[in-house]
Amino acid sequence: MAECGSAKETMISVQEAIERLAVAHRTFDEDDDDKPDATQLSFPGQLDILIDLYTTCIPRIKLRRKTSSETIEPLLIDLEEVIRLSGSLASSEEGRSLISSVSRLVIRFGSWARSSDNQRDEIQKCDKLLESLLDCTLITHEHSIKASLAQRTLESLYPRLASRSSVPPDWEAGKEAVSGAINAYSSLGITTDSVITRPLPSRMMIYAHAAPNMTAPAHLAKLVHVIVSSIQANCALDEALTILLYGLAPLKVPRSHLSEEVIYPLFAVIPPLSSSHPDPLIRHQAFRILSALLASCPPVVRLQRLRELTVDENFPQMRVAAVGLVREAVLEGLSNPPHLFASPRFFDIFGPILFRPNPPDLLSDQRLSFESFQESSESARLVECLGTYYIILLRDTGNLTHMRHKDALNSVDLSLLTPLRVALDRWASNSEAAEGHGHHAFTLGSLQMSLERVDEAISQLRTI
């Protein structure tokens, strides 16, 4: 019908069908006993067919009294509304299909408008309408794409962290759908790097899929606000994280420092994302971004931010993970002296935070059971702190941090090592901890091993 029948009659029929579809959605009651037949085509499936009919019939219409833009404007306005309604109903496959169908429509409509002897301003009106439809479709169904862009980027940039790929097998279908959208934008004269001059979520998405490896730290100042907005809205999160991974990719040390206009907005969203997002893959991606972001900060800002992360009670998981970020900063400093993290100031700032329990009298409390201790985040944090202490004692051969000084060694022994040693002996003598559950034994063994390594390192230093 769309190919051979009356184009105008087909257009009217499709327009009426889209209107009925919208009304049916608004009036549908989930509690109504008159539910649709399970064999009936879904709302997004019906919409997909209607879009294809538009794509076929509209370019066959011969313009008379109406211009191209006047012909398609009411159709596309209604279509945008129904596409928004379909967002919460579409499966991944249906969402991808809708993106592909709209992309084909945009290319065909744009070509038709250009071939209809239209003036330049008329073509621009059509392009604007088509761009709006494409933006709406891409944003509405961004959750359906699932191209695992950030995870694939992470595994490419940090191959040592990806011993086994976590990319799902169907990611290529999402990539194909976005490739169609990129072609449609290109047909409208919109390039993938247009996000630099017009930072919109839809532009950010096509940029992330097309040329994220071209992202330089200097670009982040122009993109940071749309990236932060996407993270806050949990919209186009995969694309936002991809751009950050490339923009903050590992570079030669020392690297150039980011400006404050980039640093502070990102610090408002990245630590919470890496601590509390329900998806462990996204938490890991955000954590690597946080590590790279810290490495791109001026040393004083990096120290301030790490101090905040290691004492933040709102995100106990981050307090544990932040110890590893501190360790990264110290190792970087020791490899590139002079450096703030390879100086006595490091121990002045982080000694009271990392090298004592929280609260300070925690391990001295005789009522503290091993079960309560290992179920808290403090047990994992102290394992990380002991590991950091051991690494510094071994690597800081020039004693740049002054942590090899006798006073520093005695201070850490008094505040952390001795109380932990006494507590471990007390718990080890308890049959529940010594013989009990595997998790208990693992935690106890990790602490004992970490403490023994530190004791051995200190013993070797005292013989020098």
Side-chain angles (χ1 to χ4, degrees), residues 363-375:
L363 298 175
S364 302
D365 186 353
Q366 298 293 320
R367 297 168 299 176
L368 178 67
S369 67
F370 182 76
E371 182 176 4
S372 298
F373 175 70
Q374 66 94 24
E375 286 180 353

Side-chain angles (χ1 to χ4, degrees), residues 145-158 204-216 220 223 227 230-231 235-250 270 273 281-282 285-286 288-289 292:
I145 296 172
K146 296 181 179 178
S148 297
L149 193 58
Q151 185 60 31
R152 289 189 285 123
T153 301
L154 181 75
E155 294 178 5
S156 173
L157 295 175
Y158 301 90
M204 180 193 72
M205 290 178 67
I206 62 170
Y207 175 76
H209 285 271
N213 59 321
M214 300 302 292
T215 306
L220 293 179
L223 300 175
I227 289 173
S230 295
I231 293 173
C235 175
L237 183 59
D238 193 32
E239 290 78 8
L241 295 182
T242 298
I243 293 174
L244 288 177
L245 282 166
Y246 274 112
L248 300 170
I270 297 300
L273 185 69
L281 291 180
I282 291 178
Q285 294 157 14
R288 292 324 313 168
I289 290 170

Side-chain angles (χ1 to χ4, degrees), residues 255 257 294-306 329 332 338-341 345 350:
R255 66 177 77 190
H257 296 145
L294 285 162
S296 301
C297 291
V300 173
V301 175
R302 187 177 188 179
L303 185 142
Q304 292 170 343
R305 289 296 173 175
L306 280 172
E332 181 182 319
H339 198 285
L340 182 60
F341 281 87
R345 190 175 177 189
F350 287 99

Side-chain angles (χ1 to χ4, degrees), residues 269-277 282-288 290 317-318:
V269 294
I270 297 300
L273 185 69
S274 63
S275 299
S276 56
H277 196 279
I282 291 178
R283 291 200 304 271
H284 185 214
Q285 294 157 14
F287 184 75
R288 292 324 313 168
L290 178 59
Q317 307 96 323
M318 179 51 65

Side-chain angles (χ1 to χ4, degrees), residues 160-234:
R160 294 182 181 179
L161 301 177
S163 58
R164 185 176 60 184
S165 178
S166 298
V167 177
D170 63 341
W171 65 268
E172 290 182 336
K175 179 182 177 181
E176 183 178 353
V178 179
S179 295
I182 292 172
N183 291 335
Y185 277 112
S186 179
S187 73
L188 301 176
I190 298 170
T191 59
T192 54
D193 60 356
S194 62
V195 67
I196 304 297
T197 55
R198 195 180 177 199
L200 300 173
S202 55
R203 304 286 180 91
M204 180 193 72
M205 290 178 67
I206 62 170
Y207 175 76
H209 285 271
N213 59 321
M214 300 302 292
T215 306
H219 293 154
L220 293 179
K222 299 178 181 180
L223 300 175
V224 65
H225 293 298
V226 67
I227 289 173
V228 168
S229 296
S230 295
I231 293 173
Q232 290 173 330
N234 196 33

